[in-house]
Amino acid sequence: MPAPPHPSHSAERFTGDLTAPPPIPPAALAAAQALMRDGALFRYGEQGGAENAAAALEAEFAESLGARYCVAVNSGGSALFLALKAAGIGPGDRVLINAFTLAPAVSAIVHVGAQPVLVDITPDLVVDTEDLRARAPDAQALLLSYMRGHLPDMDAVMAAAGDIPIVEDCAHATGATWAGRPIGRFGVAGCFSAQGYKHLNAGEGGFIVTDDADLAARAILMSGSYMLYAQHRARPEQRVLARWAPHMPNFSMRMTGLAAALLRPQIAELPARVDRWRGIHARVAAELAAVPDLRLPTSAPGAAPAPTSLQFTLDRPGAQIAAFLDRAAAQGVAIKWFGRPEAVGFTSRPDHWAYAAQPTPPTAARILANLCDIRLPLALTDADAALIGRIVARAAGV
Ligand SMILES: *Cc1c(COP(=O)(O)O)cnc(C)c1O
């Protein structure tokens, strides 16, 4: 057993803000201001607009992922909805989704009129490939959600899904890779979020990337391009868009030029952000290794996640977890808990989604009851990260 902590150490307190979103870089502020001065906040112009920040952003984001096409939209949830819809998913279809995910992912399936079907997870918080293999033959698609950035063995997932299309929910996996290949490039479409708490912050925003020309054309048109789709740069040939144009409804889910202006410099910064987040995560995790009944999820050898938060399970009854959370909170570290009876903030779980009408799979129910979650703002220093880790370990009784 480690020696009892020195009294002055046990009184350590974190005084920073664990809810701070990534700051907007100065170049983005300047670009946004210039755009506001012009008033060109809408991404299309009746006479040109190809130089608009949104079209440039799409081309840059596509390039960063090695994708042919990219559509920028107004949220991650919209990206998921449009990707499923553009992949031809609709009423009567059953769409598999791993049970550890966020409400907007399940809701995107509901939005296209399909039935979500929950697939169980493993203690490493990723989709259970055995359960996936068993359910895939009765489903029309898989919405694979890398919730909190945890990456499954992608080879095993692709094999288990068989030939149903996969739409990837990369809202927590922007900048992550599997065996060197970017997450978001495994399925028919990869969907990303630029909501304030994600890797790229425009307050609201989202992306769809794909190599499928028809899917891209349908998504561009349904995102609300009017007949101005030629102003996109990361787009299929005009004749593909023209062929689909009369058949696609306009759902007006466009990204604004302003959001795009805020995001362009952040794309360039993304690799450095991901490195920094990995460092913060490793520093906190190192302190937690001392807690015997605390389990950190492990990732498969090919996985290079891009964490923006840290999860662990604590093998204790609920009342003891609640007391642990209170002790950590008293030292300034707010920890979220998926086991709370009521949904709080972002921590909802399958039994809170009555609209999905799905029972919680057994392993997911057991794991979520004990699952704790700490946000890791980009601005944390190494000293902050170590302090947070020590506070959590002490609150857990080390
Ligand atoms: C944030 C998030 C989304 C949706 O993103 P919004 O931009 O908030 O709509 C989808 N899936 C997961 C796992 C997320 O964390």
Side-chain angles (χ1 to χ4, degrees):
M1 285 297 284
H6 186 275
S8 69
H9 275 188
S10 61
E12 280 186 314
R13 208 186 138 73
F14 175 68
T15 54
D17 178 6
L18 275 178
T19 66
I24 305 300
L29 294 176
Q33 208 169 27
L35 202 69
M36 286 188 284
R37 231 178 277 119
D38 292 348
L41 305 182
F42 186 60
R43 67 166 292 171
Y44 303 108
E46 275 199 282
Q47 331 215 347
E51 65 296 330
N52 189 279
L57 173 71
E58 287 165 338
E60 289 156 2
F61 195 60
E63 198 199 331
S64 77
L65 290 161
R68 277 207 191 117
Y69 312 118
C70 175
V71 193
V73 295
N74 61 357
S75 76
S78 295
L80 293 167
F81 161 72
L82 289 169
L84 288 169
K85 191 112 180 137
I89 304 300
D93 290 334
R94 291 159 54 85
V95 179
L96 304 177
I97 181 166
N98 41 307
F100 180 47
T101 185
L102 206 69
V106 182
S107 302
I109 301 171
V110 173
H111 197 173
V112 297
Q115 171 64 53
V117 177
L118 300 179
V119 183
D120 211 348
I121 61 169
T122 75
D124 292 320
L125 305 179
V126 298
V127 66
D128 177 334
T129 47
E130 287 308 305
D131 196 34
L132 174 60
R133 187 183 305 279
R135 293 177 186 277
D138 296 325
Q140 281 64 52
L142 166 65
L143 182 48
L144 180 61
S145 182
Y146 309 105
M147 174 71 163
R148 296 297 196 263
H150 298 279
L151 305 180
D153 178 327
M154 292 303 294
D155 300 326
V157 167
M158 303 295 282
D163 47 19
I164 61 171
I166 301 175
V167 170
E168 298 174 75
D169 169 15
C170 313
H172 282 164
T174 311
T177 60
W178 167 264
R181 182 167 160 196
I183 290 296
R185 302 290 293 130
F186 287 82
V188 294
C191 300
F192 297 80
S193 169
Q195 188 239 74
Y197 283 119
K198 311 299 165 96
H199 305 68
L200 303 167
N201 174 14
E204 295 280 8
F207 299 97
I208 303 163
V209 298
T210 182
D211 285 345
D212 181 320
D214 291 306
L215 193 155
R218 293 191 290 252
I220 288 171
L221 291 158
M222 286 193 287
S223 77
S225 65
Y226 300 98
M227 296 306 282
L228 302 167
Y229 49 73
Q231 293 174 25
H232 284 246
R233 283 167 48 187
R235 62 160 170 80
E237 289 174 51
Q238 286 224 52
R239 60 177 175 79
V240 183
L241 283 144
R243 179 154 53 77
W244 284 110
H247 305 288
M248 292 295 111
N250 175 330
F251 292 114
S252 282
M253 294 177 163
R254 296 168 296 271
M255 178 178 280
T256 66
L258 186 58
L262 293 175
L263 287 169
R264 286 183 69 195
Q266 298 184 55
I267 305 278
E269 260 186 25
L270 183 61
R273 285 188 181 186
V274 169
D275 272 359
R276 181 63 205 136
W277 256 312
R278 286 177 180 153
I280 293 168
H281 186 278
R283 198 70 198 80
V284 178
E287 299 290 336
L288 302 184
V291 188
D293 60 346
L294 183 153
R295 185 182 188 283
L296 291 160
T298 56
S299 45
T308 57
S309 60
L310 181 144
Q311 292 70 43
F312 56 86
T313 49
L314 202 53
D315 186 15
R316 299 179 192 183
Q320 286 184 31
I321 294 179
F324 152 74
L325 299 177
D326 287 347
R327 287 192 294 273
Q331 303 308 119
V333 177
I335 305 175
K336 290 179 275 184
W337 178 29
F338 282 83
R340 284 196 192 285
E342 301 299 326
V344 179
F346 294 103
T347 55
S348 66
R349 51 167 203 263
D351 56 303
H352 297 133
W353 310 327
Y355 50 81
Q358 281 286 300
T360 308
T363 305
R366 191 162 52 74
I367 300 293
L368 291 175
N370 290 357
L371 184 65
C372 300
D373 181 23
I374 309 178
R375 195 184 287 291
L376 300 175
L378 188 60
L380 293 180
T381 63
D382 283 347
D384 290 334
L387 172 61
I388 289 166
R390 286 197 302 274
I391 289 172
V392 175
R394 288 213 186 89
V398 172

